[in-house]
Amino acid sequence: MSLLVVGSLGLDDIETPFAKVENAVGGSAVYISLAASYFSPITNLVGVVGEDFPQDYLQMMRERNIDLDGLQIIENGKTFRYGCKYSYDMNHRDSLFTDLNVFKDFNPIIPQNYLSTRYVMLGNIDPVLQLGVLNQLDGKKLVVCDTMNYWIERMNKELKETLKHVDILIINDSEARMLAGEPNLIHAGRKILEMGPSKLVIKKGEHGCLLITDEIIFAAPAYPLENIFDPTGAGDCFAGGFIGYLLKNDLIDNNALRRAVIYGSVMASFCVEKFSVEGLLDLNYLKIHDRFLQFFTLTHFEES
Amino acid sequence: MSLLVVGSLGLDDIETPFAKVENAVGGSAVYISLAASYFSPITNLVGVVGEDFPQDYLQMMRERNIDLDGLQIIENGKTFRYGCKYSYDMNHRDSLFTDLNVFKDFNPIIPQNYLSTRYVMLGNIDPVLQLGVLNQLDGKKLVVCDTMNYWIERMNKELKETLKHVDILIINDSEARMLAGEPNLIHAGRKILEMGPSKLVIKKGEHGCLLITDEIIFAAPAYPLENIFDPTGAGDCFAGGFIGYLLKNDLIDNNALRRAVIYGSVMASFCVEKFSVEGLLDLNYLKIHDRFLQFFTLTHFEES
């Protein structure tokens, strides 16, 4: 069983109230793949970098069974770069710069040996490219998709076309309100389910997330961390843990979905505890399962 | 077993995107008492109104076993009045006016027959008055207290003195951050526990709430309502359901506290579904228990 991940790879400059890093590995495909690597035996990554992307990072991914046959390395090209600065309370970030570089002309071509991948995670990229990926695949069982306000505003029609082919959409609360044109989140969720996805996860940052389907609503808190060092990549780690858990058991019923939301939240909590991808590098099944159980303690009450 | 509630009674003008009411019954003591009345056999109310406070409202409270021996009715006085207007998404309200009237000189005097009440709920009033109430009582088992940014800013020292005599503080997230001078909510919670209360509930509006003690952290979502008509009083109804449930079972262990948080959330959800106190008038045990079970479904996942 393998997972296909399509998204960005980049080099990030991140400043928080606690520290500052430059040229840290980043991008949605990197965070998703690293988080999923604790669940998925093999992760097939499709993306693009320039020649300046450090070999160490590629090696680090290969060591985690992340297959890079689908990674385009553009000769003389420069990798996508992003810089941001977080406010004191970490709830707000200002983008300082976005240099698309080789990502500007990214055309995801799915290698032959990836074409029958059953679990597909579409990171936050142009919805036309996302649909292009889906059209190349056969035998899809589950398509999970992320997007953002940029695409909702500027490529609304194209995004809605892509959503018709998506099983689970994962977006944040302001994006859900924007996409549905509706301030009440539950109303917004219902409207989005009419656009195509049969399931929706609405991420609310430090306030946790909501899973909304035709059958259930499930609410999960965020893990109550005392030290949040860098929120970058948290949403992508959520997605990686979420789809990774579903793939691991190859089962998508309500119980599995609820647990997948928690495993996603677990991976997001590890992500934000350290800078860049550092929080994702030294995990193992026991650490992950232990935090899963802490989520149980955090939310459990006696029914009677 | 009876509950003592001290707080405000008022007449509210409320405007939401959906409707507008004038002279609706309001005030913390009213919302707390009504919510608690479904749990507490007798609720002893201490507060003040003017002669203009409608007799119908007093009768409505008496019918719910809310004892009004502690209610001061000031001859020729005018009742506390408050006006506010909610924004489109209901997450923000602007105060339009606050006429303290008879509330300005409120001095809560506890009637003889209330003095041995074991469960005490101090609504959001001047912390000096709150402490004055506690000093009159003997035999207290549990003191739950609410406050607000106004007192945190202007009577910080007095508030901190009162907090030394409080068992459970219930405040919202921005107030917790302000009181502790700390942006991280968990850090803020730990700091507040050092001020006196052994337990803290942080309310986060549509994002639910957190219970923080030395032993546990418990997170509860808000009930996912599609129609929120009027958020006024939600926090007070939470407090009423919370202390009411603890009193009903006369037990304050971790399991009871977790369930009390959910019953508080249940009462808050009924409150916001209708205007003013309307959502609290036609409930019964079955309706309340049914929503409690819905909270279980909303948050439950299999541990293994």
Side-chain angles (χ1 to χ4, degrees):
Chain A
M1 187 81 70
S2 60
L3 171 66
L4 176 64
V5 175
V6 184
S8 60
L9 297 91
L11 295 169
D12 294 344
D13 291 0
I14 303 165
E15 189 174 345
T16 80
F18 306 109
K20 194 172 169 174
V21 288
E22 291 185 353
N23 289 317
V25 62
S28 61
V30 173
Y31 282 103
I32 293 168
S33 301
L34 288 174
S37 72
Y38 293 95
F39 302 90
S40 170
I42 298 168
T43 303
N44 298 323
L45 188 150
V46 171
V48 63
V49 293
E51 270 194 314
D52 58 345
F53 196 79
Q55 285 293 325
D56 292 357
Y57 290 154
L58 298 180
Q59 188 54 32
M60 177 267 286
M61 287 193 273
R62 282 195 196 94
E63 284 166 9
R64 286 166 170 78
N65 291 326
I66 299 171
D67 187 299
L68 301 180
D69 283 359
L71 180 65
Q72 303 166 29
I73 302 177
I74 307 297
E75 238 176 281
N76 298 318
K78 287 186 75 178
T79 298
F80 172 60
R81 294 184 59 95
Y82 177 68
C84 67
K85 185 176 176 175
Y86 286 90
S87 65
Y88 177 55
D89 68 359
M90 297 280 205
N91 285 323
H92 178 76
R93 84 170 160 211
D94 288 313
S95 293
L96 298 179
F97 61 87
T98 305
D99 299 335
L100 289 177
N101 297 329
V102 297
F103 199 62
K104 198 177 166 189
D105 300 313
F106 178 42
N107 179 24
I109 297 159
I110 312 300
Q112 197 65 32
N113 54 327
Y114 292 2
L115 291 180
S116 58
T117 314
R118 294 168 66 232
Y119 284 79
V120 181
M121 179 67 226
L122 300 172
N124 167 32
I125 57 172
D126 182 334
V128 174
L129 298 184
Q130 290 176 323
L131 187 55
V133 167
L134 296 183
N135 286 337
Q136 294 174 63
L137 301 173
D138 40 49
K140 301 179 290 286
K141 174 168 177 170
L142 182 74
V143 176
V144 180
C145 178
D146 186 11
T147 191
M148 71 183 293
N149 48 1
Y150 184 90
W151 309 117
I152 295 170
E153 285 177 312
R154 303 191 201 194
M155 299 192 70
N156 196 276
K157 201 180 136 199
E158 294 83 351
L159 174 60
K160 284 185 177 161
E161 186 55 38
T162 299
L163 288 182
K164 291 178 188 168
H165 306 273
V166 163
D167 298 306
I168 307 181
L169 179 66
I170 302 183
I171 51 179
N172 73 33
D173 49 354
S174 65
E175 291 159 357
R177 290 186 166 105
M178 186 188 284
L179 179 57
E182 162 65 50
N184 178 288
L185 265 194
I186 310 300
H187 264 304
R190 302 260 181 245
K191 275 197 177 177
I192 291 169
L193 292 186
E194 289 170 11
M195 297 177 189
S198 62
K199 296 158 190 76
L200 171 69
V201 177
I202 300 177
K203 297 172 291 180
K204 304 192 292 176
E206 64 165 339
H207 300 300
C209 65
L210 283 175
L211 166 71
I212 303 179
T213 78
D214 285 339
E215 293 174 10
I216 61 165
I217 299 181
F218 174 62
Y223 189 73
L225 287 168
E226 295 200 45
N227 295 303
I228 297 176
F229 277 103
D230 176 10
T232 311
D236 294 316
C237 289
F238 176 94
F242 176 83
I243 195 169
Y245 176 78
L246 293 173
L247 174 150
K248 189 182 181 190
N249 298 281
D250 197 16
L251 181 71
I252 309 164
D253 61 14
N254 286 339
N255 273 336
L257 286 165
R258 288 166 183 263
R259 288 167 60 91
V261 165
I262 300 297
Y263 275 108
S265 305
V266 165
M267 299 313 291
S269 76
F270 283 123
C271 174
V272 303
E273 278 185 308
K274 296 187 180 172
F275 249 99
S276 179
V277 299
E278 278 172 41
L280 301 168
L281 301 184
D282 290 322
L283 300 176
N284 56 47
Y285 173 76
L286 272 182
K287 284 183 188 172
I288 292 169
H289 186 62
D290 182 62
R291 189 156 288 185
F292 177 87
L293 293 179
Q294 287 178 51
F295 264 94
F296 187 80
T297 306
L298 176 66
T299 60
H300 182 67
F301 60 93
E302 299 291 330
E303 190 176 6
S304 58
Chain B
M1 186 81 71
S2 60
L3 171 66
L4 176 65
V5 175
V6 184
S8 60
L9 297 92
L11 295 170
D12 294 344
D13 290 0
I14 303 165
E15 189 175 342
T16 79
F18 307 110
K20 195 173 172 174
V21 286
E22 292 185 352
N23 290 316
V25 62
S28 62
V30 173
Y31 281 104
I32 292 168
S33 301
L34 288 175
S37 71
Y38 293 96
F39 302 90
S40 171
I42 298 169
T43 303
N44 298 324
L45 189 152
V46 171
V48 64
V49 293
E51 268 193 314
D52 58 343
F53 196 79
Q55 285 292 326
D56 292 359
Y57 290 155
L58 298 180
Q59 187 53 32
M60 177 266 284
M61 288 192 272
R62 283 196 195 95
E63 283 166 9
R64 287 168 169 78
N65 291 326
I66 299 172
D67 187 298
L68 301 181
D69 283 359
L71 180 65
Q72 302 166 28
I73 303 177
I74 307 297
E75 238 176 281
N76 298 318
K78 286 185 75 178
T79 299
F80 172 61
R81 295 183 58 95
Y82 177 66
C84 68
K85 185 177 174 174
Y86 286 90
S87 65
Y88 177 55
D89 69 359
M90 297 280 205
N91 285 323
H92 178 74
R93 84 170 160 210
D94 289 313
S95 294
L96 299 179
F97 62 87
T98 305
D99 299 335
L100 290 177
N101 298 328
V102 296
F103 199 62
K104 198 176 168 190
D105 300 314
F106 179 42
N107 178 25
I109 298 159
I110 312 299
Q112 197 65 32
N113 56 323
Y114 292 3
L115 290 178
S116 60
T117 314
R118 295 168 66 229
Y119 284 80
V120 181
M121 179 69 227
L122 300 171
N124 166 35
I125 58 173
D126 183 333
V128 175
L129 298 185
Q130 290 176 324
L131 187 56
V133 167
L134 296 182
N135 287 336
Q136 295 174 62
L137 300 173
D138 41 49
K140 301 179 291 286
K141 173 167 177 171
L142 182 73
V143 176
V144 181
C145 178
D146 186 11
T147 190
M148 70 183 293
N149 48 2
Y150 184 90
W151 308 117
I152 296 171
E153 284 176 312
R154 302 191 201 194
M155 300 193 68
N156 197 276
K157 201 179 137 200
E158 293 83 353
L159 175 61
K160 284 185 177 159
E161 186 54 39
T162 299
L163 288 181
K164 291 178 189 168
H165 306 273
V166 163
D167 299 304
I168 307 182
L169 179 67
I170 302 183
I171 50 179
N172 74 34
D173 48 354
S174 65
E175 290 159 357
R177 290 187 166 104
M178 186 188 284
L179 179 57
E182 163 64 51
N184 179 288
L185 265 194
I186 309 301
H187 264 303
R190 302 259 181 248
K191 276 196 179 180
I192 291 169
L193 292 186
E194 288 169 13
M195 297 176 190
S198 62
K199 297 158 188 78
L200 171 70
V201 177
I202 300 177
K203 297 171 292 180
K204 304 193 292 177
E206 64 164 341
H207 301 299
C209 64
L210 283 175
L211 166 71
I212 303 179
T213 79
D214 286 339
E215 294 175 8
I216 61 165
I217 299 181
F218 175 63
Y223 189 74
L225 288 168
E226 295 199 43
N227 294 303
I228 298 176
F229 277 102
D230 176 10
T232 310
D236 295 315
C237 289
F238 176 93
F242 177 81
I243 195 169
Y245 176 78
L246 294 174
L247 174 150
K248 189 182 179 188
N249 298 281
D250 197 17
L251 182 73
I252 308 164
D253 62 13
N254 286 338
N255 273 336
L257 285 165
R258 288 166 183 264
R259 288 167 59 91
V261 165
I262 300 297
Y263 275 108
S265 306
V266 164
M267 299 313 291
S269 76
F270 283 123
C271 174
V272 303
E273 279 184 306
K274 296 188 180 170
F275 249 98
S276 178
V277 297
E278 278 173 41
L280 301 169
L281 301 185
D282 290 321
L283 300 176
N284 56 47
Y285 173 76
L286 273 180
K287 283 184 188 172
I288 291 169
H289 185 63
D290 182 63
R291 190 157 287 184
F292 177 88
L293 294 179
Q294 288 178 48
F295 264 93
F296 187 82
T297 306
L298 176 67
T299 60
H300 182 68
F301 60 92
E302 299 291 331
E303 190 175 6
S304 58

